[in-house]
Amino acid sequence: MKFMKLGSRPDTFYTTESVRSISSEISSDLIIQVKGTRYLLHKFPLLSKCLHLQRLCSESLDSPNRHQIVQLPDFPGGVEAFELCAKFCYGITITISPYNIVSARCAAEYLQMTEDAEKGNLIYKLEVFFNSCILRGWKDSIVTLQTTKVLSLWSEDLSLTNRCIEAVCSKVSKRVRNDDDISCSGTESLRDKSIRKRWWGEDLAELKIDLYWRIMIGVKSDGKIPSNLIGDALKIYAFRWLPKINSDSESGSEIASKHVLLLESIVNLLPAEKGAVSCSFLLKLLKVANVLNASSSSKMELVKRVGLQLEEATVNDLIMVCDVDFVIKISEQFMLQLVQSPPTSPVRSKLVFERRRSRSAENVDFELQEGRRSSSASHSSKLKVAKLVDRYLIEVAKDVNLSLDKFVALAESVPEFARCDHDDLYNAIDTYLKVHPELNKSERKRLCRILDCKKLSMSSCMHAAQNELLPLRLVVQVLFFEQARAAKTCGKVSSISSNIKALLTSYGIDPSKHAAQLSTTTSIHTDDNWSVNGFKSPTKSTLRMKLAEDDLDENNDVASNRIGKSSRFKSFCALPTKPKRMFNKLWFTNKSTTQKN
């Protein structure tokens, strides 16, 4: 911290109840009042250095009072700043530091203590100290910048604020480059590197949002600071000023409305580069934006940014948002940006230049390899996000207030090809059916329509085959695909009985077509909690009840649509009335094949 002492005479101020006098040795002939405090002073030392007081005193020469009275109600900096200027005029030692230089400079400007009044006047000395000492120090620049808030208009007019901001931005850029040079030498630990790179973000976090905004704009416009370091600084600032950003139990009443501006400013300052901040941090900001009821533009900006790097998120991150609508939009944004932004490689720009010179076969092959590698990374991200969404569905399915529309919309936000298996999706559907027993048959069919039986593992198929909550159509599909998969493994796809074929055909399933498309591989997750042991074939009474219920639903659907009985329903009526033996045979064949394998 730098200080400057001006003057040589000892301080001879003394205080009475309401009057302060510069010196008891000199007769007083001037009264100056500053915000309720009166000073009895001698004219000459003050007027010789203060042009403003000269003008005021010349205007009040005709006053009948023995002492001229000068009112200074709007004096910048108050009595403390006035006393600094008055002591300087009388040659009394004063101390200038980053904490009072702004008020002293504004007060000297108000009194017009310029070189026109006297050489080496206070304004000149303060400017020399400000430029040569204050602006050269990191801490001094920040402390001085903070004090400009009290006298913001004066500080802006005198360019004190701008000069402090420029000095801080310049030091950030210079220090970060120096830190990078030190990192290249490899002489420090990872912990030291982390601390060293965070120093400027932690210091700037003490500033209010208006000054912080201007500094960060300057830092970003400089273009020399890596985006991840800017992101780290924003994260430090957010955790400093957004109360309990980590808390999961925060309510809107606990946060003042003033934080809305702060949040939206942070969102606008986020670097455009992907990965500048973590996906987890973006989701925390989105949660706070939702709690604060921030602007729709800020929320959508966060949704887009999260969508760019959704593959980094975890289920707990998504649960923290506490709003399924946002997760639906985020998932859709993720898939949309992959479609709109075709995979590119950083090397391609170089290849374009080389191709202009010589489009050799080697360059073309290298381009294709780069494109395939980027496309593979994009596909891998889709698979990861699909798994993330399905596991999130398992958690939110436990919410009794989650509507069927939102559940289906979230499940359908992931394209079909992105799901390698449907085990997690089936788990989510099963959970939703258990928590929402009020769903009617048509709603259950709509829910299960998003499920692909061909992508269920054996354990999932076993669970689905005895799941009383599923529509019968889905149960039949599960049994068929499991039977066909086992038969295909043994090379006996054609061994499906005519009765089973008729039953499947009655539900609009072509056995030969679907069997040909089946994969011979299945994936069984170790965390599946559905046991194979104890599986029992559906009983005759259970199947008849489910078949009857399904018939009734289809009859109702036909009646509501004013369509006659379909040929599919007629063929179903022609099936044997004792399906138990048929289902037992179906499952026995499947089970035998599994045991052989």
Side-chain angles (χ1 to χ4, degrees), residues 192-210:
D192 293 337
K193 289 180 181 180
S194 177
I195 294 174
R196 182 170 39 75
K197 288 185 176 182
R198 290 169 59 93
W199 64 269
W200 64 278
E202 292 174 348
D203 289 343
L204 294 183
E206 299 302 318
L207 296 172
K208 297 298 182 182
I209 186 59
D210 53 344

Side-chain angles (χ1 to χ4, degrees), residues 100-110 123 126-127 158 160:
N100 65 2
I101 189 172
V102 171
S103 60
R105 178 66 181 84
C106 296
E109 186 71 22
Y110 180 90
I123 290 179
L126 291 175
E127 283 291 327
L158 298 175
L160 299 176

Side-chain angles (χ1 to χ4, degrees), residues 471-502:
L472 181 59
R473 175 189 293 268
L474 183 61
V475 175
V476 172
Q477 287 178 334
V478 168
L479 290 171
F480 164 74
F481 286 122
E482 188 60 29
Q483 162 71 10
R485 179 160 47 191
K488 186 177 182 180
T489 303
C490 298
K492 298 178 181 179
V493 177
S494 59
S495 63
I496 301 177
S497 66
S498 58
N499 288 339
I500 297 177
K501 289 182 179 180

Side-chain angles (χ1 to χ4, degrees), residues 108-123:
E109 186 71 22
Y110 180 90
L111 294 173
Q112 298 178 16
M113 301 176 71
T114 64
E115 295 299 286
D116 293 337
E118 186 177 279
K119 294 297 181 181
N121 212 342
L122 185 57
I123 290 179

Side-chain angles (χ1 to χ4, degrees), residues 567-585:
S567 59
R568 187 170 49 180
F569 179 73
K570 292 178 180 178
S571 63
F572 174 75
C573 294
L575 291 174
T577 58
K578 296 182 179 181
K580 180 178 180 180
R581 183 181 304 171
M582 181 193 336
F583 276 78
N584 284 343
K585 180 179 179 182

Side-chain angles (χ1 to χ4, degrees), residues 192-247:
D192 293 337
K193 289 180 181 180
S194 177
I195 294 174
R196 182 170 39 75
K197 288 185 176 182
R198 290 169 59 93
W199 64 269
W200 64 278
E202 292 174 348
D203 289 343
L204 294 183
E206 299 302 318
L207 296 172
K208 297 298 182 182
I209 186 59
D210 53 344
L211 296 176
Y212 183 83
W213 167 274
R214 294 169 65 177
I215 288 179
M216 294 305 294
I217 290 295
V219 169
K220 291 178 66 177
S221 62
D222 182 62
K224 299 177 182 178
I225 310 299
S227 60
N228 64 310
L229 294 185
I230 295 177
D232 288 342
L234 291 171
K235 183 176 179 179
I236 293 171
Y237 192 82
F239 275 83
R240 169 68 175 82
W241 292 103
L242 289 178
K244 299 179 182 178
I245 192 173
N246 283 329
S247 175

